[in-house]
Amino acid sequence: MAAASLPPPSRWPPPPLRLLPLVLLGCLAASAPLRAAEAAGVLRQVVAGGGDGDGGAFFEPFNVTYDHRAVILGGKRRMLVSAGLHYPRATPEMWPSLIAKCKEGGADVIETYIFWNGHEPAKGQYYFEGRFDIVKFAKLVAAEGLFLFLRIGPYACAEWNFGGFPVWLRDIPGIEFRTDNEPYKAEMQSFVTKIVNIMKEEKLYSWQGGPIILQQIENEYGNIQDRYGQAGKRYMLWAAQMALALDTGVPWVMCRQTDAPEQILDTCNAFYCDGFKPNSYNKPTIWTEDWDGWYADWGEPLPHRPAQDSAFAVARFYQRGGSLQNYYMYFGGTNFERTAGGPRQITSYDYDAPIDEYGILRQPKWGHLKDLHAAIKLCEPALIAVDGSPQYVKLGPMQEAHVYSSGKIHTNGSISENGQICSAFLANIDEHKYVSVWIFGKSYSLPPWSVSILPDCENVAFNTARTSVFTVESGSPSYSSRHKPRTLSLIGGPYLSSTWWTSKEPIGKWGEGSFAAQGILEHLNVTKDISDYLSYTMSVNISDEDVTYWNSKGVLPSLTIDQIRDVARVFVNGKLAGSKVGHWVSLNQPVQLVQGPNELTLFSEIVGLQNYGAFLEKDGAGFRGQVKLTGLSNGDIDFTNSLWTYQIGLKGEFSRIYSPENQGYAKWSSMQNDDTQTPFTWFKTMFDAPEGNDPVAIGLGSMGKGQAWVNGHLIGRYWSIVAPESGCPSSCNYAGTYGDSKCRSNCGMATQSWYTTRMVTRVRQSIGTLGGNRGRPFSDIAAV
């Protein structure tokens, strides 16, 4: 069935958690849910697409506009709940279930960024397949009857590598990102136009019967605009006009942009947005990023935001005039491959979201917010009926009510006497005290830091501080152990081969692609981000006089570098002398040199490119400043302008020995328990995947640092770096203003131990890792 287009206007729960003992790899170095009333302005679905999201129009074509109160869909104001779900952070096989769980949780809208570097990995070469099949994702959203908020950017931030920018962009002559710069604006316009044209061709805009109701241009530019002076202002206005000229027929958003033009909606990103107002009376109040959790960095504890506080923030937003709120994130997912941002953000993007990284409901957060959404939907007729401000009632020194009704309400008496459509929000913003308040002829008890929602101005349907008892899906990680699934015994014999093989990775120059150059070259200028790794090698001749001097003084010379980024390793004559971790920090490494020629190799490792801030194209990677050898008998030697031999990446990486069909290109040997591994070692084994199509998590807690592949697919970086012992409270009080350091867990443990993947086939699998083990390479594989 095909629907005519309007012209654009001016199965679950999943099975229990299964854990499989595995020989491993390593690396050195409230009340029951409410039934929501039918919301005003629900649009009729005409075609559900198909199981794979293919098909024609999904809705009767409808226009999207807005007024000062709300987004207007098909001529009706709506109060909308949006769920952040980034398509590349899950596999396409997971998308239908995740979207369905968002809908079941009460979402009306799915929000996602567009990731430029995923779609245009090389200039003019586009990719829209696999995890980057945005068209398939959009059609699956529509097939569930949900709308889509498409944040095109094309700068994303999102704790994504380089903020979503392709690295080739920085190589364009004369380019400066995100300012009034012609080379940048040309590339940005070309990509945004490409995305918009695809959406139009696939009939995905609302006026074509598709799900897209909102779009975003730029992203949090107001945070850095002043860094660019007047050029920043000019660029912002240009970006807005460029977007509007694309004639998409749906509104454009600029988040955190208080000086956005009249035709662009300025919106809020924060932990709380109930005090936010747009820069024009003609615009609705929209919360584009409700931070219901936070991201994690390697070597840091895990953030956690209580469900009660998240619900409090959302209820306050709608109480004080909000109209559309988007959870960032509702499902966070995984930074597969090398997509994690920097500096040093972990592979997991779990975000303490209502749906966890594995696609399992996180209780009580998911259930508590589902009940909240149901209560808000019950209030929708009253919320959209008020054209101006709601009635405000002061209930106490830190207590207040906002009453939405179709007419004047006498709040001192029973609501039954008023005969109006009426909903009320009663708030207690005191962090410590329970308070009883009097309104509508009744007394209501309010817990600290909470909001009670009365859809009929009489009965409490929901209180943000009162959580119900929810059924927890098997395998759902708890607050204190969400990255430590418990081990269960399995029936049916071992899944994993008893044999591990190893292959040593050469240090420094190994052949293909190596070259010599004078001076210290910037890491990204050399690698173009095709690998995390770059080695710098030179020969150092040491005299007998220097050796005698060091022996007489009982000292060693030191290799110093002014600044290093992420990870630097120093090798002398093929042996690891030491390493340094940090973001543009100095390195001072004692080295053991011998008389005569010595081979000095510096290894630079990236752990995610900078994803936030001004002048991203200038951040770079590798080493900065001078490289010196200090402590010689006749003074220091400056190597900064010496002749260095450069080697991009690792031999095994470029030979693709992690791929099952290419493993013959490496020399593998059976690993023994007493083997001494080199700093860069490849490990591989085979295992039989658990039956079914559920996600599989691999425990790498015994490992050091490296990357892991399954069946030739890079699942991401791993690192067993441990968080500080302090900074995690024994309990977490939901009440009071939240910040990302308030309720942290996992102190004294590896920031991430479990790594999720989807198997390509459910047969015998090949697993390979790069690195070296801290001890015996044993760990677990978990099927969830």
Side-chain angles (χ1 to χ4, degrees):
M1 174 178 177
S5 296
L6 292 174
S10 302
R11 41 219 208 227
W12 43 313
L17 177 70
R18 293 165 290 166
L19 294 177
L20 306 163
L22 161 71
V23 196
L24 198 69
L25 24 130
C27 164
L28 275 180
S31 55
L34 297 164
R35 181 181 178 185
E38 192 72 15
V42 169
L43 298 160
R44 187 163 69 90
Q45 279 187 270
V46 293
V47 176
D52 59 357
D54 293 331
F58 295 88
F59 302 92
E60 290 184 343
F62 62 99
N63 289 332
V64 182
T65 57
Y66 58 86
D67 63 12
H68 63 281
R69 182 66 188 99
V71 173
I72 298 172
L73 305 183
K76 299 290 185 180
R77 288 177 177 170
R78 290 295 308 273
M79 295 290 111
L80 296 170
V81 173
S82 176
L85 194 173
H86 297 161
Y87 54 100
R89 284 176 159 145
T91 61
E93 294 81 7
M94 296 174 70
W95 291 346
S97 174
L98 293 171
I99 294 166
K101 290 178 181 182
C102 292
K103 181 179 180 179
E104 177 68 15
D108 309 290
V109 182
I110 299 294
E111 169 272 331
T112 186
Y113 279 118
I114 294 290
F115 296 89
W116 189 355
N117 54 13
H119 291 297
E120 193 177 3
K123 182 174 168 57
Q125 298 179 19
Y126 297 99
Y127 183 77
F128 291 93
E129 300 175 17
R131 291 185 295 110
F132 290 92
D133 191 344
I134 179 59
V135 170
K136 178 176 182 178
F137 179 79
K139 290 181 177 181
L140 287 169
V141 169
E144 280 287 354
L146 300 179
F147 305 120
L148 184 62
F149 178 10
L150 200 62
R151 302 174 72 186
I152 300 177
Y155 167 69
C157 183
E159 292 72 60
W160 187 269
N161 192 50
F162 213 28
F165 286 132
V167 170
W168 58 260
L169 196 65
R170 71 196 293 271
D171 294 331
I172 294 175
I175 198 164
E176 291 182 77
F177 293 3
R178 304 177 75 194
T179 188
D180 188 17
N181 173 268
E182 292 305 321
Y184 174 74
K185 291 192 297 183
E187 295 298 333
M188 173 180 172
Q189 183 170 4
S190 174
F191 180 74
V192 172
T193 302
K194 175 78 174 180
I195 296 298
V196 166
N197 287 343
I198 289 173
M199 298 302 110
K200 287 181 178 179
E201 290 164 5
E202 296 290 340
K203 300 186 184 303
L204 293 173
Y205 284 105
S206 66
W207 51 274
Q208 299 174 299
I212 300 174
I213 62 169
L214 287 174
Q215 300 157 118
Q216 180 175 298
I217 194 70
E218 252 297 336
N219 186 54
E220 294 186 336
Y221 189 65
N223 292 357
I224 63 167
Q225 180 174 307
D226 289 347
R227 300 283 303 278
Y228 296 96
Q230 286 303 308
K233 179 75 170 184
R234 292 195 303 271
Y235 162 71
M236 183 275 295
L237 294 173
W238 169 85
Q241 291 305 314
M242 181 269 290
L244 293 168
L246 293 172
D247 195 27
T248 62
V250 301
W252 286 91
V253 161
M254 277 185 164
C255 60
R256 284 199 166 187
Q257 194 68 50
T258 58
D259 58 350
E262 181 67 24
Q263 305 96 322
I264 302 287
L265 301 176
D266 61 303
T267 62
C268 183
N269 292 1
F271 289 115
Y272 305 91
C273 282
D274 54 290
F276 170 78
K277 294 298 176 187
N279 64 8
S280 168
Y281 175 78
N282 299 319
K283 302 177 184 181
T285 301
I286 295 176
W287 191 357
T288 35
E289 290 189 14
D290 170 5
W291 302 331
D292 55 357
W294 202 244
Y295 59 87
D297 296 331
W298 296 112
E300 295 295 329
L302 299 174
H304 164 72
R305 188 174 187 183
Q308 300 95 320
D309 180 65
S310 192
F312 173 81
V314 174
R316 288 287 285 167
F317 176 71
Y318 289 100
Q319 175 179 3
R320 299 183 66 189
S323 64
L324 185 154
Q325 166 265 345
N326 173 65
Y327 289 102
Y328 191 98
M329 301 294 299
Y330 200 77
F331 164 81
T334 305
N335 294 315
F336 291 112
E337 299 173 325
R338 298 187 303 114
T339 59
R344 297 187 296 139
Q345 281 151 9
I346 69 173
T347 297
S348 171
Y349 202 64
D350 182 89
Y351 217 85
D352 197 44
I355 303 174
D356 75 12
E357 181 181 9
Y358 307 104
I360 297 172
L361 305 184
R362 172 169 280 115
Q363 301 289 21
K365 183 175 278 189
W366 184 88
H368 192 53
L369 295 176
K370 177 183 178 180
D371 286 357
L372 166 66
H373 304 153
I376 290 169
K377 291 302 178 186
L378 291 171
C379 298
E380 187 170 17
L383 290 170
I384 65 174
V386 174
D387 199 56
S389 300
Q391 286 179 243
Y392 177 80
V393 182
K394 187 71 172 174
L395 300 174
M398 301 185 75
Q399 295 77 39
E400 61 187 15
H402 291 73
V403 182
Y404 290 84
S405 65
S406 55
K408 178 70 176 178
I409 295 293
H410 300 290
T411 58
N412 292 328
S414 171
I415 187 62
S416 59
E417 301 171 2
N418 289 279
Q420 304 282 351
I421 296 174
C422 184
S423 295
F425 295 76
L426 315 182
N428 176 18
I429 58 176
D430 191 304
E431 299 179 21
H432 308 289
K433 297 178 181 177
Y434 279 80
V435 177
S436 292
V437 298
W438 184 268
I439 191 173
F440 306 130
K442 295 177 64 175
S443 177
Y444 296 89
S445 176
L446 302 177
W449 199 255
S450 74
V451 177
S452 284
I453 300 176
L454 288 61
D456 58 359
C457 285
E458 184 174 1
N459 298 296
V460 176
F462 181 84
N463 179 273
T464 60
R466 296 185 176 120
T467 58
S468 300
V469 176
F470 299 99
T471 300
V472 179
E473 293 187 58
S474 297
S476 294
S478 68
Y479 161 44
S480 60
S481 61
R482 56 192 172 100
H483 286 269
K484 297 187 300 175
R486 62 192 182 94
T487 301
L488 304 178
S489 61
L490 291 173
I491 300 173
Y495 284 78
L496 187 70
S497 168
S498 60
T499 303
W500 280 87
W501 294 269
T502 66
S503 179
K504 293 183 179 181
E505 174 69 30
I507 302 301
K509 179 182 175 180
W510 47 263
E512 183 178 328
S514 65
F515 65 94
Q518 211 79 29
I520 297 294
L521 303 182
E522 194 272 330
H523 185 121
L524 282 183
N525 285 341
V526 178
T527 68
K528 310 303 181 186
D529 200 36
I530 64 172
S531 172
D532 281 352
Y533 306 98
L534 177 65
S535 68
Y536 308 62
T537 300
M538 67 170 296
S539 180
V540 182
N541 196 58
I542 297 300
S543 68
D544 178 63
E545 181 183 357
D546 284 320
V547 174
T548 301
Y549 173 76
W550 297 327
N551 290 338
S552 65
K553 298 290 185 180
V555 297
L556 290 174
S558 289
L559 190 285
T560 66
I561 304 175
D562 286 351
Q563 290 183 306
I564 67 98
R565 186 192 187 280
D566 293 355
V567 180
R569 301 178 194 261
V570 179
F571 293 86
V572 176
N573 298 322
K575 295 182 179 180
L576 180 66
S579 60
K580 181 78 172 186
V581 173
H583 188 71
W584 298 125
V585 297
S586 63
L587 177 147
N588 188 327
Q589 177 61 53
V591 290
Q592 183 80 52
L593 300 170
V594 299
Q595 180 183 350
N598 292 260
E599 185 178 78
L600 172 66
T601 297
L602 309 180
F603 239 100
S604 170
E605 301 178 32
I606 291 176
V607 189
L609 298 180
Q610 187 80 19
N611 61 260
Y612 177 77
F615 312 110
L616 282 183
E617 72 280 6
K618 296 179 173 62
D619 183 64
F623 310 136
R624 286 178 178 171
Q626 294 183 316
V627 178
K628 292 183 177 182
L629 184 64
T630 65
L632 285 81
S633 58
N634 293 319
D636 302 342
I637 301 178
D638 191 340
F639 295 148
T640 309
N641 297 312
S642 297
L643 185 67
W644 294 85
T645 297
Y646 289 84
Q647 182 71 66
I648 301 171
L650 305 175
K651 183 176 181 180
E653 184 180 20
F654 279 81
S655 300
R656 298 174 57 86
I657 66 171
Y658 49 77
S659 178
E661 60 269 21
N662 291 336
Q663 290 178 8
Y665 293 131
K667 181 179 180 181
W668 297 93
S669 58
S670 178
M671 188 179 71
Q672 305 301 317
N673 289 341
D674 58 353
D675 281 355
T676 299
Q677 305 301 335
T678 61
F680 287 93
T681 302
W682 293 86
F683 299 84
K684 73 169 183 175
T685 193
M686 303 289 292
F687 65 93
D688 294 317
E691 295 180 359
N693 295 313
D694 301 316
V696 172
I698 302 174
L700 305 180
S702 67
M703 305 300 291
K705 180 183 181 300
Q707 298 176 9
W709 287 260
V710 175
N711 283 354
H713 295 269
L714 177 58
I715 64 173
R717 303 180 183 100
Y718 66 86
W719 198 355
S720 298
I721 189 169
V722 173
E725 293 284 346
S726 61
C728 297
S730 57
S731 62
C732 176
N733 182 5
Y734 75 87
T737 303
Y738 178 77
D740 62 278
S741 62
K742 180 179 179 181
C743 294
R744 302 198 294 180
S745 66
N746 228 51
C747 287
M749 302 173 63
T751 305
Q752 182 173 356
S753 295
W754 293 93
Y755 297 80
T756 185
T757 180
R758 277 280 184 170
M759 300 306 176
V760 178
T761 56
R762 310 303 291 187
V763 294
R764 194 161 178 80
Q765 310 293 319
S766 168
I767 185 168
T769 66
L770 164 68
N773 58 321
R774 298 189 305 174
R776 293 181 64 189
F778 295 101
S779 189
D780 304 288
I781 178 170
V784 298

